[in-house]
Structures are given as structure tokens and as C-alpha cells.
Amino acid sequence: MYFKVEMVCLGLYAFTFPHNLRVVSRAKHVNNKQNREFNQTAERVPGYHGNSDGFHGPVYQEEAGCIPFSSSVVFRQKMELPETIRKRLDDFSRNILFDQTRTVTFAEENDGFLPHEKPVLSSLQLQMSLYFNMWFFPCWWISETVMLHLKYPALPEYYKFILVTILLLMTLIEAIRLYLGYAGNLQEKVPELAGFWLLTTLLQLPLILFQLFNEAILIQPLERGVHIVLTVFILIQAASGFAALRNMVRHTGSQFHLQQFD
Amino acid sequence: MSAVSSLVPARFLTLIAHLVIVITIFWSRENNVKACLPLNFTQEQYDTEDKKLLVGLGVTLGLFAIELTGFFSGVSMFNSSQSLLSTGVHASASVALLFFLFEQWNCDIYWWILAICSVVPAFVEILLFVAVVGLKKKPL
């Protein structure tokens, strides 16, 4: 199924990651600067709803066999963040994180586009790191639980409580974070992606750095190994998530802005 | 092709497993170094063997860097033969290094594991790099 499309360039852009790229880039020209060299003649997929305001993600076509990096089946159901949280995250991204009063928005460029020439705003690097993070997470969890169980008697009382709490917290945050990252990136939704980015940088990053650098919790060699891998993932997601969020904020109008005039 | 969607995560997981075990050995190599020394060893002998094992581990990490760049840049991610070779070789390396760690094998054995299970996939990776970047073949 990958081999139907013709590939001009190697590297990240040679294959149809994620599924969204395949669906959205039915055009010959993909204007996103990330995909400058990416040129594929994908067949037209019926039922595609245009991405005019960037908030209604394309309808996914179920295809035979899976495409890695996206589990589009998950997002058929409407499991969205509550509306107030979405509005707050949207405001945060547009007004605090990326101040748009001084930068030229790209809204004017959209007028010259033909309907099928939409820039692809999903970030490939982010999607790849989310996909592999999702696969790596069970390994990390099992390693961490086993090592905590083994070193539990040797820990002081307060660290016993702290480490169990941190393990629970990191599990929960990781699950929510990965879901939001998938939803935000594939469906090009700013609030979800902003939520993902905040969870990554403000919660997960300090927790994993604490586990990696605090020698008082008797860090074992296996823990060092798995924590190093997870830290690399989180750092990559923080960086590429930031870039993806900035791109998305610049290229999409505010979904909530229009509602003020109703 | 559904086979590809399970080959890519399999290759990734075996790569990461091998990497994690190498990092683990890096931090706990003392017993293995002592295993390749005679019963009465001097500190210089210990340091020499330790340094040799460190060099081996460093070379492994370097070869890992080559293979991971090839994998994540997409050059060999969807190449079934390289994926299969890589998965098999890194899985056997993980098991072998697990025994190396737990059974405190001789540190000479590490060079064999390095040669078979790290050099081979990195070498194929370099070949693929040359084929794709140099000869402009398609990366599949």
C-alpha cells in the first residue's frame, strides 16, 4: 500500500507517514516547508472534508492493512477535551505562547490556493516520536515497576512514598499525553496539541529528570538505560511539538473567534 | 502491507532493548571485568581490561548511532530485509548480553557479540546509505 505512491525523496518524507499526510496531500503540491521535496500522486480519496479552518480534521478512510504512526480508528469516536479547557488552551497558544500581533499571519496566502492545495500541518517528526514512544512505554513501565519493587526495602520511608506516587503520576500523564499528542497532531487541532506540549514540558520532563539525576533514590543501571531513552523521547517531543504548535497556530484561524459574532 | 506495520515496531523494540542492555552493562561492568582476570589480579590489569571493555561498549554505541540515524531518517525503515536482519541480530544480541551480564561471562565473548550483532547491521546500514544517497536508488 505504501508502494503505490511514487517517492521522489528519501528520508522522512519518502513514505506516507502519518496517515493524515496521505489523506491530506492528495494534491500534487504540498506547500508545507517540511514537505518541500515530498511529491506524491496519491489517489483522490472521496469524502474528504476541506481543512479550511484547520479544526475539522480530514475524514479518515479505512484502508486495508495498517499504516504505522497513526491509529486513525481511535479518533472515529468523539473523545474530546471539554470545551472550556479547549478554549483556554487555544487562547494560551495564540496569545501567550505565540504572540501573533507582531508576526504576519498567513491568512492571505490561503486565498490564492486552490481548494485541494492545503499545507500539511501535522509534524512528521512529532508523529514518529509519539508512535515509537507509545511502543516503548510498556517496556519502560515494566522495567520501572520491577526495579522499584526490587529496591523498595532499601529506600528511606519518604522516598518509598514519593517514588510510588511518581510512578503512578507518570503512567497517567503519559497515557493522556500520548492520546492528546496523537489527536492534536493528526487532526491538526491546536488545543489538544497545546495540552500535549504543556503536559510534556511542565510535568513529564521534570519528573523524568528527577528520576534520572537524583542519586538518592538508588538509581539502578537498568533504570538509567530506560530513563535515558524516555528522556530523549520527551525532549524530541518538546522540541518538535513546539515547532508543530507554532506552525499550526500561524496557519489556522481561531476556531473560537467566529463564535463571538454569532 | 500489514507485515511492515509490525516489522517497524519490532525492529525498534529490539534495537532499544539492545541499547538499554548495553547502557546497563556500561554501568555495571565490574563483575564482567573481574571474570576475565586471573584470581590474583593487580589494579593495572583491572584497568587495562576495564578500558578494553569500555572501548567495546563505546564502539557499540557508535554503531548504534549509525543504525538509529539510518532507521529514523527513513533510509532503511521500510526495507524488509534490513529490518528482518536487524530484528534478528539485535534480539540475539539482547539475549546474549543478558547472559553475559547475569552469568558474568568472560569479556572476550563481548567482542564476538559486538562483531556479529552490532557490526553486521551497521555495515548493511552504511551500504543502504550509500545506495540511497549516493546511487539515488529508492529507499525500499
Side-chain angles (χ1 to χ4, degrees):
Chain A
M1 167 183 49
Y2 304 100
F3 317 121
K4 277 191 225 168
V5 300
E6 51 180 3
M7 295 163 287
V8 173
C9 172
L10 56 103
L12 291 170
Y13 317 118
F15 302 100
T16 55
F17 337 125
H19 190 182
N20 190 27
L21 275 178
R22 185 182 185 84
V23 170
V24 171
S25 63
R26 48 201 36 68
K28 307 279 169 42
H29 312 288
V30 176
N31 290 310
N32 190 350
K33 66 174 166 65
Q34 287 179 343
N35 298 322
R36 194 180 302 131
E37 302 167 81
F38 179 61
N39 184 10
Q40 67 160 345
T41 53
E43 61 277 348
R44 292 205 161 250
V45 179
Y48 170 61
H49 300 299
N51 212 8
S52 52
D53 58 355
F55 273 94
H56 303 292
V59 173
Y60 293 98
Q61 301 293 320
E62 197 68 45
E63 294 191 359
C66 307
I67 302 184
F69 309 133
S70 73
S71 25
S72 52
V73 184
V74 174
F75 303 108
R76 294 301 183 94
Q77 303 108 20
K78 290 281 179 186
M79 285 196 289
E80 288 198 346
L81 288 175
E83 198 64 21
T84 49
I85 298 184
R86 297 192 79 231
K87 205 174 286 191
R88 286 208 185 150
L89 286 172
D90 194 66
D91 283 339
F92 167 76
S93 318
R94 292 183 192 284
N95 301 320
I96 300 176
L97 199 53
F98 303 112
D99 186 15
Q100 294 198 282
T101 53
R102 272 178 253 142
T103 61
V104 178
T105 58
F106 292 100
E108 307 84 45
E109 292 183 28
N110 284 330
D111 298 334
F113 287 168
L114 298 172
H116 59 273
E117 285 183 10
K118 291 283 181 241
V120 175
L121 297 171
S122 309
S123 160
L124 176 66
Q125 294 87 352
L126 181 63
Q127 190 61 33
M128 277 173 71
S129 74
L130 283 173
Y131 178 75
F132 289 125
N133 195 356
M134 192 182 71
W135 279 101
F136 176 69
F137 180 60
C139 311
W140 177 86
W141 197 84
I142 292 173
S143 306
E144 183 59 27
T145 310
V146 166
M147 294 320 290
L148 185 57
H149 176 74
L150 285 177
K151 68 183 186 182
Y152 198 74
L155 288 169
E157 291 297 324
Y158 49 95
Y159 269 130
K160 284 179 184 167
F161 170 72
I162 288 177
L163 284 183
V164 170
T165 311
I166 285 184
L167 182 61
L168 282 174
L169 272 179
M170 284 186 78
T171 314
L172 280 173
I173 295 174
E174 191 77 8
I176 301 175
R177 188 177 76 93
L178 289 177
Y179 176 75
L180 284 181
Y182 257 87
N185 197 28
L186 283 182
Q187 300 177 11
E188 299 184 357
K189 291 186 174 175
V190 171
E192 273 81 0
L193 198 60
F196 157 78
W197 188 80
L198 284 174
L199 279 177
T200 304
T201 27
L202 295 182
L203 284 183
Q204 204 73 320
L205 190 60
L207 287 177
I208 194 70
L209 290 180
F210 171 81
Q211 293 219 296
L212 194 53
F213 289 125
N214 183 12
E215 295 293 337
I217 56 175
L218 309 172
I219 308 180
Q220 302 303 307
L222 176 64
E223 287 188 319
R224 280 189 218 269
V226 293
H227 286 333
I228 285 175
V229 178
L230 191 61
T231 312
V232 169
F233 270 128
I234 289 178
L235 287 173
I236 292 180
Q237 281 157 17
S240 59
F242 187 78
L245 197 55
R246 187 186 53 200
N247 267 348
M248 231 178 263
V249 160
R250 280 192 191 151
H251 281 91
T252 62
S254 169
Q255 174 191 43
F256 303 102
H257 184 69
L258 295 172
Q259 291 172 6
Q260 297 171 13
F261 298 99
D262 285 341
Chain B
M1 251 199 233
S2 60
V4 181
S5 71
S6 53
L7 203 50
V8 168
R11 183 178 175 196
F12 170 72
L13 284 176
T14 49
L15 260 175
I16 293 297
H18 189 187
L19 181 66
V20 165
I21 294 187
V22 165
I23 296 178
T24 308
I25 292 180
F26 176 76
W27 285 99
S28 63
R29 62 188 185 273
E30 192 183 314
N31 283 330
N32 285 105
V33 174
K34 284 193 186 152
C36 40
L37 292 168
L39 275 174
N40 303 318
F41 58 89
T42 62
Q43 188 59 30
E44 291 110 23
Q45 283 175 315
Y46 181 86
D47 286 337
T48 321
E49 294 294 330
D50 194 40
K51 207 162 285 182
K52 284 201 316 197
L53 190 60
L54 262 181
V55 166
L57 289 167
V59 169
T60 314
L61 288 177
L63 295 173
F64 256 116
I66 296 178
E67 194 169 355
L68 283 173
T69 41
F71 181 62
F72 286 122
S73 67
V75 167
S76 68
M77 193 188 275
F78 292 105
N79 188 341
S80 316
S81 347
Q82 162 69 345
S83 290
L84 208 54
L85 169 75
S86 179
T87 308
V89 141
H90 284 293
S92 12
S94 306
V95 173
L97 284 178
L98 199 66
F99 275 99
F100 180 81
L101 200 56
F102 283 163
E103 304 288 323
Q104 287 154 26
W105 280 352
N106 210 340
C107 36
D108 298 333
I109 299 183
Y110 185 77
W111 296 103
W112 281 104
I113 301 177
L114 173 75
I116 299 177
C117 300
S118 291
V119 173
V120 172
F123 180 65
V124 178
E125 196 74 37
I126 293 178
L127 282 179
L128 281 173
F129 260 123
V130 165
V132 168
V133 176
L135 305 176
K136 304 281 182 209
K137 288 209 177 104
K138 287 188 181 179
L140 261 180

